[in-house]
Amino acid sequence: MDIFFGVTVSDKTSHLDNFFREVEGEIKALINQNSAYGNSLKFIYIGIFYVSPEYSQFFKVRKPKYCYENIDTGDGQVEKTAVRFEYEMLLDFEKYKDLSYDEAKLSFLEDLFNSMDVLGTDAVRKKFKDFPADQFIADSKNLFQLQ
């Protein structure tokens, strides 16, 4: 499994891009160290929009989606299987704009983990049967010492 943050920031906020990459890197390291997250979900993509108000009209959060691949079942058959889950989040510009780096990172972590609730929905559990969403979220929170 792997995770990727697709980050869109406006020019006025680009100094905050570092902590998005820092958090992404730490979660990637967690995933690489832990094989208990199953084999069905190969990739989580989180689109993160942090843009100033004059640009926010161009960035609307779309509903979560599954991406499929054709998987060889081993008996000569090919099965279309969900392997990737994508969702987006829009961060509140006003909430972050005057925060220090550390305060913004902590606030982002809270918003990120709140957004990860979508991973534990029944629909996602049905698509990725062996992915322990609750365990993944708990491990990620523990990584950043959040409860």
Side-chain angles (χ1 to χ4, degrees), residues 37-72:
Y37 299 131
N39 295 315
S40 59
L41 179 58
K42 305 284 187 216
F43 198 76
I44 299 170
Y45 171 86
I46 305 172
I48 301 167
F49 302 124
Y50 179 63
V51 294
S52 54
E54 63 263 24
Y55 298 113
S56 63
Q57 66 183 353
F58 302 111
F59 298 96
K60 301 297 181 203
V61 175
R62 295 173 288 199
K63 68 179 186 172
K65 69 177 185 176
Y66 307 98
C67 297
Y68 297 85
E69 284 184 6
N70 291 326
I71 306 292
D72 184 355

Side-chain angles (χ1 to χ4, degrees), residues 86-100:
E86 300 180 0
Y87 75 94
E88 298 173 340
M89 57 189 290
L90 177 63
L91 301 178
D92 181 358
F93 181 82
E94 296 300 320
K95 175 180 171 181
Y96 286 85
K97 72 176 184 175
D98 295 324
L99 297 179
S100 70

